[in-house]
Amino acid sequence: MSDDSTVLARYLDELGWSPRQLASRINAIFGAGTVSATAAYYWRRAGNAPRAPLPAMIAIVFSQSLGRTITVEELWNGQAVDSPHIVPAAPDMDVPWTLSGTVQLVEDWVQGGLMDRRTFVAASGAALTAAAHAYLELPRLTAALRGDTVSGTLISQIEATLPELRDVDHRRGGLHAKTYVHGQWLTIGALVRDGHHQNAISKRLLSALGEMGDLAGYMAFDAGEHGLAQRYWITALRAAQHAENTALAASILSNMSYQAATREHGRDAVELANAATRAARTAPAAVRASVASRLATAHAAAGEVQAFRAARDRAQDTLAEASPAAQPVPDWASFVSRSYLSSQSACALIQLGRTQMSENRRVARALLEEGQTLLAPSMSSTPSGFQRSGVLRTVWLALGYTASGELEEACLAGRVAAQRLSDVESPRCASLLTDLRKALARGRHQNAAVREFIADLDQVLGQT
């Protein structure tokens, strides 16, 4: 037991954490450099409270790790200032999964408006995956809404904007239209909140809310706002449930899985992708194939080679069975193709190869080579209308070459990606290029190509 008698010290002991581990967790959630590695030693002593907004951040870290609510008041007994604008992404799970509960969450969005100043903290573990379990375990909505305040013409206009907005996201990246999409989300949310629609209109409206939330969440994810993305997705998942739109629910859960995989939370990613698989059981083949592809990426993030290969093969086999005439493909899944699935598995192969380097270099090199072969065509062409994907694929190719020690090829692929970066507004792409810079700079400054490329890349990243 620590000699310190503060509440913070007791919670550190309960978790088995050192002050350095607390600081590391804060930086992992809120960003590198938020606190110094030794700052928590000072907070642990009685009477030493950090300045705002750190007390709220610390309370959130303890709440997530201990599985119960820990407040700033409890930690410092009135000696620290709270920061109410910092809130967890996952809404209070006590809000029931009923239509009134969903409307309650939508009301929170509408009241926040376009200038919502809150910072949403990304969840992980049970706090994140609880939404998936709640969706799967609850029965479908059976009580219909009554009345008709939204016309079929209006809902058709709302539905018609969705494909265009998705196209903008694919071409220009998440930042380009994020504010506009948020405005559309609030507009649909206000219509849902007002209620009193006929059952058919109500379901279409809730599906539109779910689709717009799925898109808004992906844009926020691409913009690096992970907590905000989760908040969109969890609300959208509820809307999909009430609309009885299981295919959309599967899409939302698979996007949540993909986010977790990119954040290197492999077990969360697998759990969410498995939930998406269950939700997609009756969905069109293209949706099931896309979900299987996300499951493969999740297994790659978890370092599970055989499970990755099984899910990857299932994705391709499922798409081969597709019969759009028998089961129409939702517009939001129309991009799913063999080449799309191949590129997704290629990026996952690079991710797997990089993580396997410390365990089995022979296996790692084989994985990297397989991924590089699949991604090599991305150097010369970008899928029409998918400029962001073109950037991401070439960066992953460069990361693969870097891990293999093929530095000149890595720099060449990195230059192609850097040139394409100006075509998109995607912090995710810029962040991945930053990862490439770090990988190349690690002990490789003696290589002339690397030195020259890093200098040029720094200029590009400085402009984003």
PDB file of all heavy atoms in Angstrom, residues 395-428:
ATOM      1  N   VAL A 395       0.443   5.151 -48.335  1.00  0.00           N
ATOM      2  CA  VAL A 395       1.172   5.259 -47.066  1.00  0.00           C
ATOM      3  C   VAL A 395       1.398   3.877 -46.463  1.00  0.00           C
ATOM      4  O   VAL A 395       2.485   3.562 -45.976  1.00  0.00           O
ATOM      5  CB  VAL A 395       0.422   6.156 -46.054  1.00  0.00           C
ATOM      6  CG1 VAL A 395       1.245   6.281 -44.772  1.00  0.00           C
ATOM      7  CG2 VAL A 395       0.177   7.543 -46.608  1.00  0.00           C
ATOM      8  N   TRP A 396       0.359   3.031 -46.508  1.00  0.00           N
ATOM      9  CA  TRP A 396       0.527   1.670 -45.989  1.00  0.00           C
ATOM     10  C   TRP A 396       1.585   0.912 -46.790  1.00  0.00           C
ATOM     11  O   TRP A 396       2.377   0.138 -46.229  1.00  0.00           O
ATOM     12  CB  TRP A 396      -0.804   0.918 -46.005  1.00  0.00           C
ATOM     13  CG  TRP A 396      -1.631   1.194 -44.798  1.00  0.00           C
ATOM     14  CD1 TRP A 396      -2.799   1.898 -44.720  1.00  0.00           C
ATOM     15  CD2 TRP A 396      -1.346   0.761 -43.453  1.00  0.00           C
ATOM     16  NE1 TRP A 396      -3.260   1.942 -43.427  1.00  0.00           N
ATOM     17  CE2 TRP A 396      -2.392   1.255 -42.630  1.00  0.00           C
ATOM     18  CE3 TRP A 396      -0.329   0.021 -42.872  1.00  0.00           C
ATOM     19  CZ2 TRP A 396      -2.426   1.015 -41.257  1.00  0.00           C
ATOM     20  CZ3 TRP A 396      -0.353  -0.217 -41.493  1.00  0.00           C
ATOM     21  CH2 TRP A 396      -1.406   0.282 -40.711  1.00  0.00           C
ATOM     22  N   LEU A 397       1.624   1.138 -48.086  1.00  0.00           N
ATOM     23  CA  LEU A 397       2.661   0.510 -48.900  1.00  0.00           C
ATOM     24  C   LEU A 397       4.042   0.975 -48.439  1.00  0.00           C
ATOM     25  O   LEU A 397       4.972   0.166 -48.296  1.00  0.00           O
ATOM     26  CB  LEU A 397       2.439   0.860 -50.375  1.00  0.00           C
ATOM     27  CG  LEU A 397       3.464   0.310 -51.366  1.00  0.00           C
ATOM     28  CD1 LEU A 397       3.504  -1.215 -51.338  1.00  0.00           C
ATOM     29  CD2 LEU A 397       3.148   0.813 -52.788  1.00  0.00           C
ATOM     30  N   ALA A 398       4.169   2.279 -48.194  1.00  0.00           N
ATOM     31  CA  ALA A 398       5.451   2.824 -47.725  1.00  0.00           C
ATOM     32  C   ALA A 398       5.819   2.259 -46.349  1.00  0.00           C
ATOM     33  O   ALA A 398       6.988   1.962 -46.082  1.00  0.00           O
ATOM     34  CB  ALA A 398       5.372   4.350 -47.668  1.00  0.00           C
ATOM     35  N   LEU A 399       4.838   2.106 -45.477  1.00  0.00           N
ATOM     36  CA  LEU A 399       5.103   1.514 -44.165  1.00  0.00           C
ATOM     37  C   LEU A 399       5.576   0.064 -44.301  1.00  0.00           C
ATOM     38  O   LEU A 399       6.446  -0.396 -43.548  1.00  0.00           O
ATOM     39  CB  LEU A 399       3.841   1.579 -43.298  1.00  0.00           C
ATOM     40  CG  LEU A 399       3.471   2.958 -42.742  1.00  0.00           C
ATOM     41  CD1 LEU A 399       2.053   2.950 -42.192  1.00  0.00           C
ATOM     42  CD2 LEU A 399       4.457   3.376 -41.652  1.00  0.00           C
ATOM     43  N   GLY A 400       4.997  -0.657 -45.258  1.00  0.00           N
ATOM     44  CA  GLY A 400       5.426  -2.026 -45.506  1.00  0.00           C
ATOM     45  C   GLY A 400       6.866  -2.089 -45.984  1.00  0.00           C
ATOM     46  O   GLY A 400       7.662  -2.909 -45.492  1.00  0.00           O
ATOM     47  N   TYR A 401       7.195  -1.220 -46.924  1.00  0.00           N
ATOM     48  CA  TYR A 401       8.577  -1.184 -47.420  1.00  0.00           C
ATOM     49  C   TYR A 401       9.548  -0.814 -46.292  1.00  0.00           C
ATOM     50  O   TYR A 401      10.660  -1.349 -46.202  1.00  0.00           O
ATOM     51  CB  TYR A 401       8.700  -0.178 -48.556  1.00  0.00           C
ATOM     52  CG  TYR A 401       8.155  -0.647 -49.889  1.00  0.00           C
ATOM     53  CD1 TYR A 401       7.392   0.207 -50.682  1.00  0.00           C
ATOM     54  CD2 TYR A 401       8.420  -1.929 -50.358  1.00  0.00           C
ATOM     55  CE1 TYR A 401       6.891  -0.212 -51.914  1.00  0.00           C
ATOM     56  CE2 TYR A 401       7.935  -2.361 -51.588  1.00  0.00           C
ATOM     57  CZ  TYR A 401       7.163  -1.496 -52.351  1.00  0.00           C
ATOM     58  OH  TYR A 401       6.660  -1.914 -53.575  1.00  0.00           O
ATOM     59  N   THR A 402       9.140   0.118 -45.440  1.00  0.00           N
ATOM     60  CA  THR A 402      10.003   0.532 -44.328  1.00  0.00           C
ATOM     61  C   THR A 402      10.279  -0.631 -43.392  1.00  0.00           C
ATOM     62  O   THR A 402      11.421  -0.865 -42.989  1.00  0.00           O
ATOM     63  CB  THR A 402       9.340   1.685 -43.549  1.00  0.00           C
ATOM     64  OG1 THR A 402       9.080   2.781 -44.432  1.00  0.00           O
ATOM     65  CG2 THR A 402      10.246   2.162 -42.424  1.00  0.00           C
ATOM     66  N   ALA A 403       9.225  -1.374 -43.055  1.00  0.00           N
ATOM     67  CA  ALA A 403       9.399  -2.526 -42.164  1.00  0.00           C
ATOM     68  C   ALA A 403      10.286  -3.594 -42.790  1.00  0.00           C
ATOM     69  O   ALA A 403      11.010  -4.310 -42.088  1.00  0.00           O
ATOM     70  CB  ALA A 403       8.034  -3.114 -41.807  1.00  0.00           C
ATOM     71  N   SER A 404      10.255  -3.701 -44.122  1.00  0.00           N
ATOM     72  CA  SER A 404      11.080  -4.685 -44.831  1.00  0.00           C
ATOM     73  C   SER A 404      12.510  -4.210 -45.046  1.00  0.00           C
ATOM     74  O   SER A 404      13.348  -4.964 -45.546  1.00  0.00           O
ATOM     75  CB  SER A 404      10.459  -5.011 -46.193  1.00  0.00           C
ATOM     76  OG  SER A 404       9.183  -5.586 -46.034  1.00  0.00           O
ATOM     77  N   GLY A 405      12.774  -2.935 -44.721  1.00  0.00           N
ATOM     78  CA  GLY A 405      14.110  -2.393 -44.921  1.00  0.00           C
ATOM     79  C   GLY A 405      14.367  -1.896 -46.331  1.00  0.00           C
ATOM     80  O   GLY A 405      15.504  -1.566 -46.672  1.00  0.00           O
ATOM     81  N   GLU A 406      13.310  -1.808 -47.163  1.00  0.00           N
ATOM     82  CA  GLU A 406      13.448  -1.322 -48.543  1.00  0.00           C
ATOM     83  C   GLU A 406      13.209   0.193 -48.532  1.00  0.00           C
ATOM     84  O   GLU A 406      12.140   0.684 -48.906  1.00  0.00           O
ATOM     85  CB  GLU A 406      12.452  -2.046 -49.446  1.00  0.00           C
ATOM     86  CG  GLU A 406      12.629  -3.560 -49.445  1.00  0.00           C
ATOM     87  CD  GLU A 406      11.514  -4.284 -50.180  1.00  0.00           C
ATOM     88  OE1 GLU A 406      11.470  -4.176 -51.422  1.00  0.00           O
ATOM     89  OE2 GLU A 406      10.694  -4.948 -49.513  1.00  0.00           O
ATOM     90  N   LEU A 407      14.227   0.931 -48.112  1.00  0.00           N
ATOM     91  CA  LEU A 407      14.042   2.340 -47.783  1.00  0.00           C
ATOM     92  C   LEU A 407      13.799   3.216 -49.009  1.00  0.00           C
ATOM     93  O   LEU A 407      13.005   4.163 -48.948  1.00  0.00           O
ATOM     94  CB  LEU A 407      15.256   2.844 -47.007  1.00  0.00           C
ATOM     95  CG  LEU A 407      15.551   2.083 -45.709  1.00  0.00           C
ATOM     96  CD1 LEU A 407      16.704   2.726 -44.948  1.00  0.00           C
ATOM     97  CD2 LEU A 407      14.304   2.018 -44.830  1.00  0.00           C
ATOM     98  N   GLU A 408      14.506   2.951 -50.113  1.00  0.00           N
ATOM     99  CA  GLU A 408      14.286   3.768 -51.309  1.00  0.00           C
ATOM    100  C   GLU A 408      12.849   3.611 -51.815  1.00  0.00           C
ATOM    101  O   GLU A 408      12.197   4.594 -52.195  1.00  0.00           O
ATOM    102  CB  GLU A 408      15.285   3.396 -52.410  1.00  0.00           C
ATOM    103  CG  GLU A 408      16.694   3.915 -52.172  1.00  0.00           C
ATOM    104  CD  GLU A 408      17.429   3.138 -51.079  1.00  0.00           C
ATOM    105  OE1 GLU A 408      16.963   2.031 -50.738  1.00  0.00           O
ATOM    106  OE2 GLU A 408      18.452   3.644 -50.579  1.00  0.00           O
ATOM    107  N   GLU A 409      12.358   2.364 -51.826  1.00  0.00           N
ATOM    108  CA  GLU A 409      10.988   2.121 -52.263  1.00  0.00           C
ATOM    109  C   GLU A 409       9.992   2.781 -51.300  1.00  0.00           C
ATOM    110  O   GLU A 409       8.963   3.319 -51.721  1.00  0.00           O
ATOM    111  CB  GLU A 409      10.706   0.621 -52.326  1.00  0.00           C
ATOM    112  CG  GLU A 409      11.417  -0.103 -53.461  1.00  0.00           C
ATOM    113  CD  GLU A 409      12.856  -0.453 -53.114  1.00  0.00           C
ATOM    114  OE1 GLU A 409      13.330  -0.054 -52.030  1.00  0.00           O
ATOM    115  OE2 GLU A 409      13.505  -1.130 -53.941  1.00  0.00           O
ATOM    116  N   ALA A 410      10.309   2.763 -50.003  1.00  0.00           N
ATOM    117  CA  ALA A 410       9.440   3.407 -49.010  1.00  0.00           C
ATOM    118  C   ALA A 410       9.344   4.903 -49.263  1.00  0.00           C
ATOM    119  O   ALA A 410       8.254   5.495 -49.205  1.00  0.00           O
ATOM    120  CB  ALA A 410       9.964   3.143 -47.597  1.00  0.00           C
ATOM    121  N   CYS A 411      10.468   5.518 -49.557  1.00  0.00           N
ATOM    122  CA  CYS A 411      10.473   6.965 -49.810  1.00  0.00           C
ATOM    123  C   CYS A 411       9.712   7.296 -51.086  1.00  0.00           C
ATOM    124  O   CYS A 411       9.005   8.314 -51.155  1.00  0.00           O
ATOM    125  CB  CYS A 411      11.904   7.480 -49.900  1.00  0.00           C
ATOM    126  SG  CYS A 411      12.797   7.405 -48.326  1.00  0.00           S
ATOM    127  N   LEU A 412       9.841   6.447 -52.099  1.00  0.00           N
ATOM    128  CA  LEU A 412       9.133   6.672 -53.354  1.00  0.00           C
ATOM    129  C   LEU A 412       7.622   6.617 -53.127  1.00  0.00           C
ATOM    130  O   LEU A 412       6.869   7.488 -53.588  1.00  0.00           O
ATOM    131  CB  LEU A 412       9.564   5.635 -54.390  1.00  0.00           C
ATOM    132  CG  LEU A 412       8.922   5.759 -55.788  1.00  0.00           C
ATOM    133  CD1 LEU A 412       9.255   7.112 -56.406  1.00  0.00           C
ATOM    134  CD2 LEU A 412       9.401   4.625 -56.681  1.00  0.00           C
ATOM    135  N   ALA A 413       7.160   5.577 -52.421  1.00  0.00           N
ATOM    136  CA  ALA A 413       5.737   5.462 -52.135  1.00  0.00           C
ATOM    137  C   ALA A 413       5.275   6.602 -51.236  1.00  0.00           C
ATOM    138  O   ALA A 413       4.174   7.165 -51.416  1.00  0.00           O
ATOM    139  CB  ALA A 413       5.443   4.120 -51.467  1.00  0.00           C
ATOM    140  N   GLY A 414       6.110   6.990 -50.285  1.00  0.00           N
ATOM    141  CA  GLY A 414       5.762   8.096 -49.394  1.00  0.00           C
ATOM    142  C   GLY A 414       5.610   9.403 -50.145  1.00  0.00           C
ATOM    143  O   GLY A 414       4.733  10.219 -49.816  1.00  0.00           O
ATOM    144  N   ARG A 415       6.451   9.617 -51.156  1.00  0.00           N
ATOM    145  CA  ARG A 415       6.331  10.846 -51.952  1.00  0.00           C
ATOM    146  C   ARG A 415       5.012  10.887 -52.720  1.00  0.00           C
ATOM    147  O   ARG A 415       4.373  11.937 -52.829  1.00  0.00           O
ATOM    148  CB  ARG A 415       7.502  10.952 -52.924  1.00  0.00           C
ATOM    149  CG  ARG A 415       8.809  11.329 -52.265  1.00  0.00           C
ATOM    150  CD  ARG A 415       9.899  11.625 -53.267  1.00  0.00           C
ATOM    151  NE  ARG A 415      11.152  11.927 -52.612  1.00  0.00           N
ATOM    152  CZ  ARG A 415      11.445  13.091 -52.056  1.00  0.00           C
ATOM    153  NH1 ARG A 415      10.554  14.084 -52.096  1.00  0.00           N
ATOM    154  NH2 ARG A 415      12.607  13.279 -51.470  1.00  0.00           N
ATOM    155  N   VAL A 416       4.609   9.740 -53.260  1.00  0.00           N
ATOM    156  CA  VAL A 416       3.327   9.693 -53.974  1.00  0.00           C
ATOM    157  C   VAL A 416       2.196  10.052 -53.011  1.00  0.00           C
ATOM    158  O   VAL A 416       1.301  10.843 -53.341  1.00  0.00           O
ATOM    159  CB  VAL A 416       3.102   8.299 -54.591  1.00  0.00           C
ATOM    160  CG1 VAL A 416       1.688   8.192 -55.159  1.00  0.00           C
ATOM    161  CG2 VAL A 416       4.132   8.027 -55.681  1.00  0.00           C
ATOM    162  N   ALA A 417       2.229   9.476 -51.811  1.00  0.00           N
ATOM    163  CA  ALA A 417       1.189   9.760 -50.818  1.00  0.00           C
ATOM    164  C   ALA A 417       1.198  11.230 -50.429  1.00  0.00           C
ATOM    165  O   ALA A 417       0.142  11.863 -50.305  1.00  0.00           O
ATOM    166  CB  ALA A 417       1.388   8.881 -49.587  1.00  0.00           C
ATOM    167  N   ALA A 418       2.391  11.787 -50.213  1.00  0.00           N
ATOM    168  CA  ALA A 418       2.501  13.190 -49.809  1.00  0.00           C
ATOM    169  C   ALA A 418       1.965  14.122 -50.894  1.00  0.00           C
ATOM    170  O   ALA A 418       1.324  15.138 -50.593  1.00  0.00           O
ATOM    171  CB  ALA A 418       3.951  13.519 -49.484  1.00  0.00           C
ATOM    172  N   GLN A 419       2.221  13.786 -52.155  1.00  0.00           N
ATOM    173  CA  GLN A 419       1.701  14.599 -53.257  1.00  0.00           C
ATOM    174  C   GLN A 419       0.178  14.554 -53.303  1.00  0.00           C
ATOM    175  O   GLN A 419      -0.470  15.558 -53.611  1.00  0.00           O
ATOM    176  CB  GLN A 419       2.284  14.113 -54.581  1.00  0.00           C
ATOM    177  CG  GLN A 419       3.774  14.390 -54.737  1.00  0.00           C
ATOM    178  CD  GLN A 419       4.396  13.633 -55.901  1.00  0.00           C
ATOM    179  OE1 GLN A 419       3.708  12.902 -56.625  1.00  0.00           O
ATOM    180  NE2 GLN A 419       5.702  13.781 -56.085  1.00  0.00           N
ATOM    181  N   ARG A 420      -0.394  13.404 -52.977  1.00  0.00           N
ATOM    182  CA  ARG A 420      -1.845  13.256 -53.023  1.00  0.00           C
ATOM    183  C   ARG A 420      -2.539  13.883 -51.819  1.00  0.00           C
ATOM    184  O   ARG A 420      -3.750  14.097 -51.843  1.00  0.00           O
ATOM    185  CB  ARG A 420      -2.210  11.767 -53.087  1.00  0.00           C
ATOM    186  CG  ARG A 420      -1.811  11.089 -54.390  1.00  0.00           C
ATOM    187  CD  ARG A 420      -2.047   9.589 -54.323  1.00  0.00           C
ATOM    188  NE  ARG A 420      -1.762   8.932 -55.595  1.00  0.00           N
ATOM    189  CZ  ARG A 420      -1.745   7.620 -55.779  1.00  0.00           C
ATOM    190  NH1 ARG A 420      -1.991   6.810 -54.740  1.00  0.00           N
ATOM    191  NH2 ARG A 420      -1.484   7.098 -56.968  1.00  0.00           N
ATOM    192  N   LEU A 421      -1.780  14.158 -50.758  1.00  0.00           N
ATOM    193  CA  LEU A 421      -2.386  14.670 -49.530  1.00  0.00           C
ATOM    194  C   LEU A 421      -3.119  15.991 -49.754  1.00  0.00           C
ATOM    195  O   LEU A 421      -4.116  16.273 -49.085  1.00  0.00           O
ATOM    196  CB  LEU A 421      -1.310  14.837 -48.452  1.00  0.00           C
ATOM    197  CG  LEU A 421      -1.805  15.192 -47.041  1.00  0.00           C
ATOM    198  CD1 LEU A 421      -2.685  14.072 -46.483  1.00  0.00           C
ATOM    199  CD2 LEU A 421      -0.631  15.468 -46.113  1.00  0.00           C
ATOM    200  N   SER A 422      -2.628  16.796 -50.698  1.00  0.00           N
ATOM    201  CA  SER A 422      -3.260  18.095 -50.950  1.00  0.00           C
ATOM    202  C   SER A 422      -4.657  17.959 -51.543  1.00  0.00           C
ATOM    203  O   SER A 422      -5.431  18.920 -51.551  1.00  0.00           O
ATOM    204  CB  SER A 422      -2.390  18.932 -51.896  1.00  0.00           C
ATOM    205  OG  SER A 422      -2.234  18.269 -53.152  1.00  0.00           O
ATOM    206  N   ASP A 423      -4.999  16.770 -52.037  1.00  0.00           N
ATOM    207  CA  ASP A 423      -6.318  16.555 -52.636  1.00  0.00           C
ATOM    208  C   ASP A 423      -7.399  16.281 -51.592  1.00  0.00           C
ATOM    209  O   ASP A 423      -8.590  16.253 -51.929  1.00  0.00           O
ATOM    210  CB  ASP A 423      -6.276  15.366 -53.610  1.00  0.00           C
ATOM    211  CG  ASP A 423      -5.373  15.628 -54.804  1.00  0.00           C
ATOM    212  OD1 ASP A 423      -5.210  16.812 -55.163  1.00  0.00           O
ATOM    213  OD2 ASP A 423      -4.848  14.654 -55.369  1.00  0.00           O
ATOM    214  N   VAL A 424      -7.003  16.029 -50.342  1.00  0.00           N
ATOM    215  CA  VAL A 424      -7.978  15.655 -49.321  1.00  0.00           C
ATOM    216  C   VAL A 424      -7.778  16.502 -48.067  1.00  0.00           C
ATOM    217  O   VAL A 424      -6.717  17.087 -47.855  1.00  0.00           O
ATOM    218  CB  VAL A 424      -7.869  14.158 -48.947  1.00  0.00           C
ATOM    219  CG1 VAL A 424      -8.131  13.286 -50.163  1.00  0.00           C
ATOM    220  CG2 VAL A 424      -6.508  13.839 -48.348  1.00  0.00           C
ATOM    221  N   GLU A 425      -8.830  16.548 -47.252  1.00  0.00           N
ATOM    222  CA  GLU A 425      -8.760  17.188 -45.931  1.00  0.00           C
ATOM    223  C   GLU A 425      -8.990  16.091 -44.902  1.00  0.00           C
ATOM    224  O   GLU A 425     -10.091  15.906 -44.417  1.00  0.00           O
ATOM    225  CB  GLU A 425      -9.807  18.297 -45.818  1.00  0.00           C
ATOM    226  CG  GLU A 425      -9.594  19.436 -46.790  1.00  0.00           C
ATOM    227  CD  GLU A 425     -10.685  20.491 -46.706  1.00  0.00           C
ATOM    228  OE1 GLU A 425     -10.846  21.083 -45.627  1.00  0.00           O
ATOM    229  OE2 GLU A 425     -11.387  20.699 -47.711  1.00  0.00           O
ATOM    230  N   SER A 426      -7.925  15.368 -44.617  1.00  0.00           N
ATOM    231  CA  SER A 426      -8.029  14.168 -43.795  1.00  0.00           C
ATOM    232  C   SER A 426      -6.886  14.098 -42.794  1.00  0.00           C
ATOM    233  O   SER A 426      -5.781  13.663 -43.128  1.00  0.00           O
ATOM    234  CB  SER A 426      -8.017  12.908 -44.682  1.00  0.00           C
ATOM    235  OG  SER A 426      -7.885  11.737 -43.897  1.00  0.00           O
ATOM    236  N   PRO A 427      -7.124  14.517 -41.542  1.00  0.00           N
ATOM    237  CA  PRO A 427      -6.089  14.366 -40.513  1.00  0.00           C
ATOM    238  C   PRO A 427      -5.637  12.921 -40.333  1.00  0.00           C
ATOM    239  O   PRO A 427      -4.500  12.679 -39.935  1.00  0.00           O
ATOM    240  CB  PRO A 427      -6.789  14.884 -39.250  1.00  0.00           C
ATOM    241  CG  PRO A 427      -7.764  15.907 -39.764  1.00  0.00           C
ATOM    242  CD  PRO A 427      -8.273  15.311 -41.051  1.00  0.00           C
ATOM    243  N   ARG A 428      -6.512  11.958 -40.638  1.00  0.00           N
ATOM    244  CA  ARG A 428      -6.109  10.553 -40.533  1.00  0.00           C
ATOM    245  C   ARG A 428      -4.976  10.265 -41.516  1.00  0.00           C
ATOM    246  O   ARG A 428      -4.003   9.557 -41.180  1.00  0.00           O
ATOM    247  CB  ARG A 428      -7.299   9.643 -40.804  1.00  0.00           C
ATOM    248  CG  ARG A 428      -6.965   8.151 -40.780  1.00  0.00           C
ATOM    249  CD  ARG A 428      -8.203   7.299 -40.610  1.00  0.00           C
ATOM    250  NE  ARG A 428      -9.218   7.561 -41.610  1.00  0.00           N
ATOM    251  CZ  ARG A 428      -9.632   6.679 -42.514  1.00  0.00           C
ATOM    252  NH1 ARG A 428      -9.107   5.467 -42.549  1.00  0.00           N
ATOM    253  NH2 ARG A 428     -10.583   6.987 -43.377  1.00  0.00           N
TER     254      ARG A 428
END
